[in-house]
Structure formats: C-alpha cells, structure tokens
Amino acid sequence: MKPCGEDDADAARCSWDVRCSGLARATHNPIRAVVENLHLEPNPGKQLIALSLGDPTVFGNLQPPGELLEAVQSSLESLSYNGYTAGRGSQEAREAVAKYSSTPGSTVDPNDVVLCSGCSGALDICITGVADPGQNILVPRPGFSIYRTLAEGCGIAVRSYDLKPADGWEADLVQMEQQIDKNTALLVVTNPSNPCGSVYSRRHLMDILEVARRNYLPVLADEIYEHMVFPGKEFISMGSLSQDVPILVCSGLAKRFLVPGWRIGWIIIHDRNGILQKENNALVAYDILKRVEGLYPVMPEGAMYMMVGIDMIDFPFEDELEFLQQLMREESVFCLPGQCFDYPNYMRLVITVPEDLLKEACHRIADFCARHHKTICTLPT
Ligand SMILES: Cc1ncc(COP(=O)(O)O)c(C=O)c1O
C-alpha cells in the first residue's frame, strides 16, 4: 500500500474513498421510494391479493402464445444465435418488428428499428439520446415513473402535463403547450396509458401532434401496451399518423406477449416529412368500486390498469399511503398509491389478475371503505 504523502495528489489516492456518482445520486425511482417506505402488514387471516405489480405473469392465469415459445425454442436449438449480433439487433429480428408494426398506410423500414433491452432500455436510449443535461422533457401526470428516473439521473428536468380523468384521461393541451420552452427536447406520450388504461382516439393523437408540430418538438410515444385494447376500441400508433413530426415509438414484447422477463424491446424511428378478458375484469372491478362511497374509479379502455380516486375527506387517513397501509393491514389487498405516478389521492389497480381474485379484492376494498367512511361507518361492531 502506498504511504500517504503531503501533497494533494498523494492524499487523493492514499485511502479508500469510493463515492456515489452524481448520476446515481440524482437517480430516483418514485415507485420504490413510496412503496419501500410503506409499512405493509397483511392481515394474517386473509390471503394476500397484490393488485400492485404490472407483471401479467404473476398469477399464472395468462400465458404467452405457443408460437412465440416454439420460435424461441427452435432459435435456441439451432445454435445459430449464440454469438454477438449487430448493435441495433439482427436483421431478421428488425425485419420481424418492422412487419409487425407496419400498417396499411404506414410501412416501417427495418433500418428504422433498433432492438433494446426491454422497453425501458428503449426509453433510456431515446431520452438520453435526444435531451442534453439542462434541457427538459414533458411527461404525463399521472404517468409511469421511469421517464423521471431516467431523465433526472442525467440532469434532464422533467415537467408534467396533466391528464384529465373526466375526459377519459386526455391531455390538457393548453397546459402542455404552456410548458414548452426553448429547452424542451421531447414530449412523452403514453398510449395506452399506465396507470390510466386510457386509449387515445385518432382525434386526440392528432391534436397532440399539432401541439408538437407548432413547437417543432419531437415525440416519444411509449406504446408498450399497443393493441391491448378492449373490443370497440382501436389502438392507433402515433408513428402511423405523423407526416412531419419526428416520432420515436418505444414498445416491446413484455405486455402483449406476456414475457416481461425476456427483456425484448425496440425503438421505431418515424422521421419522415387483448388480452380481451381484461375488459371483463375491468368491468367487474369498475362495477363493484363505483358503488363504494368515497371511491371514484375511472373505467379504462386498455392496458392493464384502473385508476381509482379516493376522496380523502371521507376517510380518517392523512393520505392514500395511510389508506393503503391500513387496507393491507386489514384486508391484505395491496394497490400502488397514486403518488407513485405523481398523482396523489388515487390508487392504481392491476386488472390482469384472475377474475375471482380481482372480485374478492374489490369486495374487500369496498368492505374496508364502508368500515372507515366517516359518515356511513357500518363497522366496527
Ligand atoms: C408505460 C410503460 N412503459 C414501459 C414499461 C417497461 O417495459 P419493459 O418491461 O419492456 O422494460 C412499462 C412497464 O410496466 C410501462 O408500464
């Protein structure tokens, strides 16, 4: 070991001083921050029902398609794909994504596809590839927290534009536009939405594109829930609509193909001038919860979630965190707090769990609310 010298250069290298980098210090995951500080103790007398994790494989009721499993199995057995491949992904894989993502009016060129480690990896590349430290990006509120986690770590500021629950969670376009300035690098749109389950109409997507066009702002369209829409609803990719606004579409296999652990995601660069049982599940949950005093569920149109407003004035809890901790303590039901999505006084339910469990969980939530509602308390006896 080197002896400590007098001068600064020696002093700097004469003992262990391993620090956390600026990037690590600036990186926050709001979901972890909120959930890890909750004291969650389920009621030992009741089976725990977690409506919190956006992983459709947890309960085993939804399985990936056989074709997908067979294709991967035969690729592995061929021993042809064990080596390094092109940085943007193999030509065959990019051709397959391009074919899957093309629509009659909008053909995707395999050269515009970049394979990534999950949709998260795609988002990371897009955000850090377009925005510099000191610039800002616009993200939806309520919204998925990864955009903030990725951006803030790199010194990119995050500004939120509001989604309006009474208007099917459409974006407040006026407020969105007011936040754009010369340092705004990217507009993030999540469609279908986590946590809202909303699916935007062509008209609303065109309106968003018009804001982007007027302000010369590229769009990052997070479409990981593409095609997970209920009957009668249509998913339209933003990439297929734009004639001039550059759109980076991020998607992957995780949700629709029920393989989040495979970490297959992609970016499609547009730069030119269901799981149907979930609708039943959503209706089941919505029908139970809409009758509960103090709760305001917003019926989703796709994805895997439902946002439920909690009128905190009706309950003897400080905020939704305390509400959810007590719900866990008494009913062993866990939902993510709205604060995880920058939207307090809401909870987010995952609706891909088996229908009977979802029903049971919603009834428990209803019982809990009836017990604790300030004016209609039916219990305790
Ligand atoms: C809106 C949204 N984007 C991206 C992701 C991450 O997808 P992946 O698991 O492919 O990284 C999720 C995961 O829940 C999500 O909800």
Side-chain angles (χ1 to χ4, degrees):
M1 201 173 284
K2 222 164 93 177
C4 274
E6 291 290 305
D7 57 63
D8 283 355
D10 276 351
R13 299 248 63 102
C14 73
S15 64
W16 286 109
D17 183 17
V18 181
R19 297 177 194 199
C20 209
S21 70
L23 186 145
R25 279 198 303 273
T27 301
H28 302 282
N29 181 330
I31 297 187
R32 296 263 164 264
V34 173
V35 173
E36 282 168 12
N37 285 315
L38 286 176
H39 302 290
L40 295 169
E41 299 159 28
N43 178 340
K46 296 190 178 185
Q47 180 200 359
L48 171 66
I49 309 179
L51 304 183
S52 49
L53 197 58
D55 178 345
T57 70
V58 172
F59 289 90
N61 55 323
L62 303 171
Q63 296 298 340
E67 299 92 311
L68 183 69
L69 300 176
E70 281 157 26
V72 170
Q73 208 161 1
S74 77
S75 296
L76 286 176
E77 283 166 1
S78 74
L79 303 178
S80 307
Y81 301 96
N82 291 333
Y84 293 117
T85 184
R88 289 187 298 151
S90 76
Q91 180 66 17
E92 280 164 288
R94 286 187 287 117
E95 277 170 12
V97 172
K99 192 168 158 205
Y100 169 71
S101 306
S102 291
T103 57
S106 159
T107 306
V108 173
D109 183 330
N111 289 324
D112 293 330
V113 176
V114 182
L115 292 192
C116 306
S117 172
C119 183
S120 310
L123 296 170
D124 192 2
I125 291 173
C126 291
I127 292 173
T128 57
V130 172
D132 274 321
Q135 288 195 294
N136 64 76
I137 61 169
L138 300 190
V139 305
R141 174 174 52 210
F144 187 48
S145 58
I146 194 170
Y147 317 121
R148 182 175 294 278
T149 304
L150 294 171
E152 288 182 345
C154 299
I156 300 161
V158 173
R159 299 180 178 178
S160 302
Y161 61 88
D162 287 332
L163 309 183
K164 301 178 287 180
D167 295 338
W169 299 105
E170 286 193 350
D172 182 336
L173 297 175
V174 174
Q175 188 228 14
M176 175 193 275
E177 191 156 14
Q178 279 164 352
Q179 308 211 55
I180 300 171
D181 66 14
K182 66 177 178 16
N183 285 321
T184 307
L186 206 52
L187 167 63
V188 178
V189 177
T190 316
N191 180 53
S193 160
N194 176 9
C196 305
S198 45
V199 180
Y200 287 156
S201 63
R202 180 180 298 266
R203 175 199 51 77
H204 190 54
L205 292 171
M206 294 302 279
D207 289 346
I208 296 174
L209 275 176
E210 189 46 43
V211 172
R213 179 178 300 113
R214 266 203 299 276
N215 292 280
Y216 299 96
L217 188 58
V219 171
L220 189 173
D222 181 347
E223 299 182 351
I224 187 70
Y225 299 99
E226 61 183 334
H227 306 298
M228 291 180 81
V229 300
F230 302 158
K233 284 281 155 192
E234 188 191 5
F235 164 76
I236 302 166
S237 172
M238 268 196 133
S240 72
L241 295 181
S242 173
Q243 294 306 318
D244 45 8
V245 178
I247 314 269
L248 297 168
V249 170
C250 293
S251 188
L253 295 183
K255 309 293 182 170
R256 186 183 185 199
F257 293 93
L258 303 161
V259 286
W262 288 12
R263 312 308 304 135
I264 304 292
W266 55 77
I267 306 168
I268 299 174
I269 304 165
H270 293 266
D271 194 9
R272 58 176 179 269
N273 289 332
I275 304 165
L276 301 181
Q277 82 174 78
K278 286 192 292 89
E279 184 183 34
N280 289 340
N281 271 12
L283 275 176
V284 162
Y286 182 73
D287 280 344
I288 300 171
L289 297 178
K290 75 176 179 208
R291 294 197 192 92
V292 178
E293 288 285 337
L295 293 189
Y296 299 92
V298 185
M299 180 62 194
E301 297 168 330
M304 299 170 22
Y305 314 102
M306 180 183 294
M307 285 286 267
V308 180
I310 310 169
D311 194 342
M312 294 313 311
I313 295 178
D314 287 345
F315 298 101
F317 305 115
E318 182 124 327
D319 55 17
E320 92 270 16
L321 302 183
E322 218 181 288
F323 177 103
L324 290 169
Q325 273 169 312
Q326 193 59 28
L327 175 68
M328 180 72 154
R329 218 169 274 134
E330 294 181 25
E331 295 294 345
S332 302
V333 171
F334 181 45
C335 306
L336 280 192
Q339 285 183 37
C340 290
F341 307 98
D342 205 6
Y343 214 66
N345 302 333
Y346 274 75
M347 58 181 165
R348 186 200 73 171
L349 275 60
V350 170
I351 56 171
T352 44
V353 306
E355 189 179 320
D356 51 341
L357 271 188
L358 183 65
K359 224 187 248 175
E360 165 74 21
C362 291
H363 283 304
R364 288 194 209 166
I365 294 173
D367 290 348
F368 173 81
C369 289
R371 275 203 303 279
H372 291 283
H373 196 280
K374 280 186 190 156
T375 49
I376 56 147
C377 267
T378 54
L379 285 173
T381 48

